[in-house]
């Protein structure tokens, strides 16, 4: 679903701005969590963007296109992998 929303935001500037605001709120929330780590990253927003890209790429690979061999994974496996 996020893949579709991100694709739609590429052609709808208002949706793109709204998505950026939503993601910024999520990022702020994650930064707060990082402050409780014994060794927080120097730039939490860079770390968060890397985490987001990893999750989005994973979701796109397994939920949208699947590997070339047609293999799929269950929702449970996807969740367990990302934990």
């Amino acid at each position: 679903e996020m893949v579709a929303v991100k694709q739609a935001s590429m052609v709808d500037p208002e949706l793109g701005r709204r998505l950026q605001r939503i993601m910024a709120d999520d990022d702020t929330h994650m930064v707060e969590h990082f402050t409780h780590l014994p060794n927080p990253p120097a730039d939490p927003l860079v770390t968060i963007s890397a985490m987001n890209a990893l999750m989005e790429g994973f979701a796109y690979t397994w939920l949208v296109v699947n590997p070339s061999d047609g293999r799929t994974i269950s929702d449970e496996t996807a969740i367990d992998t990302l934990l």
Side-chain angles (χ1 to χ4, degrees), residues 9-28:
S9 75
M10 290 180 199
V11 295
D12 182 341
E14 178 54 34
L15 178 60
R17 286 187 292 277
R18 185 172 177 203
L19 183 58
Q20 284 179 325
R21 287 191 302 271
I22 292 168
M23 295 298 291
D25 290 343
D26 289 343
D27 292 350
T28 300

Side-chain angles (χ1 to χ4, degrees), residues 53-76:
L54 174 67
M55 288 189 290
E56 288 173 10
F58 180 85
Y60 186 77
T61 296
W62 290 103
L63 302 176
V64 178
V65 296
N66 297 351
S68 61
D69 64 2
R71 182 174 170 222
T72 61
I73 60 173
S74 68
D75 289 348
E76 183 177 292

